[in-house]
Amino acid sequence: MTTLTHRARRTEVGKNSEKKVESEKDMNQDRNQDNEDTGDSKDIRLTLMEEVLLLGLKDKEGYTSFWNDCISSGLRGGILIELAMRGRIYLEPPTMRKKRLLDRKVLLKSDSPTGDVLLDETLKHIKATEPTETVQTWIELLTGETWNPFKLQYQLRNVRERIAKNLVEKGILTTEKQNFLLFDMTTHPVTNTTEKQRLVKKLQDSVLERWVNDPQRMDKRTLALLVLAHSSDVLENVFSSLTDDKYDMAMNRAKDLVELDPEVEGTKHSATEMIWAVLAAFNKS
């Protein structure tokens, strides 16, 4: 066996070891992601998209408000934040020419599967796209809001229905057919109201009993969910059960939070840039 063959084999072993280490890092990041919020139930794990949809659904009717035209883009923003929090994507480092969050491109960190179909589908799109795109552009592409016919391939289709089916599989929703005069519609009423109330209570507490008045000290997933709930126009659903005085306090604190300057907050120590980049994108749209 030649020295060159020895070297080739050592190189191959080295590459395989690197891939294994990277895969293990991704798995550990996913586990850390699951265990981050210690106040949550350990039985059911929901993605940010599933949580946003659950907050937007009418419990008995099983569908979101017909007047809500924000939730589609909100769900796509949730996909980007979820991928970033799982260590799959990140924003390119700031430069002299690209300091603003909205100017910086989304880069691939790892293409290891997450186990979620929507997340993995988005990951494939990001991996295959050259040149790279910004957060705002990705939200538009994934929603299908583009005039470029060559970019329509990036649209994620039937997102609400696919997320709802995930929630059905997790025992939180059920599936029914309802007749609306001229057409039949598949609906997904809430069956596990305990899980939804847990989610609502967590968000209420984050701006009331557990309010810290500093986003950098907040649980990252809770912060992301507040931003997404606001951007998806479902925050009203979260606070509607509160008394008048608590409702006003909660809404004012949430408003103060989402009206912070994303460019300033995104540069702070331990900040999750993708959360603030998504908020900046929604503020601009």
Side-chain angles (χ1 to χ4, degrees):
M1 187 179 295
T2 65
T3 305
L4 186 60
T5 307
H6 275 299
R7 285 179 180 172
R9 287 195 172 183
R10 281 200 297 269
T11 302
E12 188 175 342
V13 169
K15 286 182 178 178
N16 289 337
S17 299
E18 287 176 6
K19 285 183 179 178
K20 185 177 180 182
V21 169
E22 185 176 315
S23 179
E24 286 175 351
K25 281 183 179 177
D26 293 336
M27 288 175 66
N28 288 335
Q29 192 141 8
D30 287 342
R31 289 194 198 100
N32 292 337
Q33 159 84 25
D34 285 342
N35 294 326
E36 190 176 70
D37 189 349
T38 55
D40 284 358
S41 163
K42 301 300 179 184
D43 297 328
I44 303 176
R45 293 296 173 197
L46 302 181
T47 63
L48 289 169
M49 308 86 72
E50 289 167 350
E51 290 178 329
V52 170
L53 183 64
L54 185 56
L55 292 173
L57 284 174
K58 300 174 184 289
D59 288 8
K60 294 181 180 178
E61 293 86 347
Y63 52 82
T64 57
S65 170
F66 291 125
W67 312 111
N68 188 338
D69 57 356
C70 302
I71 195 167
S72 291
S73 53
L75 292 172
R76 271 70 172 187
I79 289 174
L80 295 178
I81 295 176
E82 188 77 48
L83 284 172
M85 295 183 80
R86 293 188 184 212
R88 300 311 196 272
I89 60 174
Y90 66 102
L91 285 183
E92 66 177 335
T95 62
M96 289 300 293
R97 294 180 62 188
K98 294 182 179 180
K99 287 185 177 180
R100 296 171 62 243
L101 292 169
L102 292 180
D103 294 333
R104 292 153 60 189
K105 304 300 180 75
V106 176
L107 302 181
L108 184 73
K109 186 175 183 180
S110 169
D111 61 355
S112 298
T114 65
D116 181 276
V117 177
L118 282 173
L119 293 178
D120 291 340
E121 187 177 334
T122 304
L123 206 55
K124 287 181 181 178
H125 287 326
I126 293 173
K127 181 181 180 181
T129 302
E130 191 63 40
T132 53
E133 303 286 3
T134 63
V135 167
Q136 185 170 13
T137 300
W138 268 118
I139 291 174
E140 293 169 354
L141 291 176
L142 296 174
T143 312
E145 296 176 356
T146 175
W147 293 102
N148 188 340
F150 298 105
K151 299 284 189 177
L152 288 174
Q153 60 180 312
Y154 298 126
Q155 181 182 1
L156 297 178
R157 302 184 183 277
N158 304 317
V159 168
R160 291 189 216 188
E161 183 61 25
R162 291 159 74 181
I163 295 174
K165 285 183 178 178
N166 287 346
L167 290 170
V168 170
E169 290 175 2
K170 293 179 180 181
I172 297 174
L173 305 180
T174 188
T175 303
E176 294 180 358
K177 288 279 187 182
Q178 286 197 31
N179 180 268
F180 289 87
L181 296 178
L182 300 177
F183 61 94
D184 289 334
M185 186 174 81
T186 302
T187 61
H188 298 283
V190 178
T191 52
N192 187 341
T193 55
T194 302
E195 182 63 21
K196 181 167 183 176
Q197 286 306 312
R198 178 200 65 80
L199 184 60
V200 168
K201 184 71 163 57
K202 180 178 79 168
L203 288 186
Q204 289 177 351
D205 286 349
S206 71
V207 292
L208 293 173
E209 282 76 7
R210 297 184 182 178
W211 177 243
V212 292
N213 200 28
D214 180 3
Q216 306 308 324
R217 292 168 55 203
M218 291 182 71
D219 167 69
K220 294 296 187 288
R221 288 190 69 83
T222 303
L223 172 62
L225 189 53
L226 282 169
V227 167
L228 292 169
H230 164 75
S231 304
S232 304
D233 198 18
V234 299
L235 207 52
E236 169 73 23
N237 300 1
V238 175
F239 300 144
S240 60
S241 62
L242 295 171
T243 59
D244 290 347
D245 55 337
K246 286 191 174 183
Y247 173 87
D248 290 339
M249 183 182 293
M251 287 298 278
N252 287 334
R253 286 176 174 174
K255 182 182 177 183
D256 290 342
L257 183 66
V258 299
E259 287 183 351
L260 290 170
D261 186 348
E263 298 296 340
V264 173
E265 298 302 321
T267 60
K268 291 183 178 179
H269 178 67
S270 78
T272 302
E273 286 188 318
M274 193 63 71
I275 296 176
W276 298 107
V278 166
L279 178 59
F282 285 127
N283 287 346
K284 186 178 179 182
S285 60

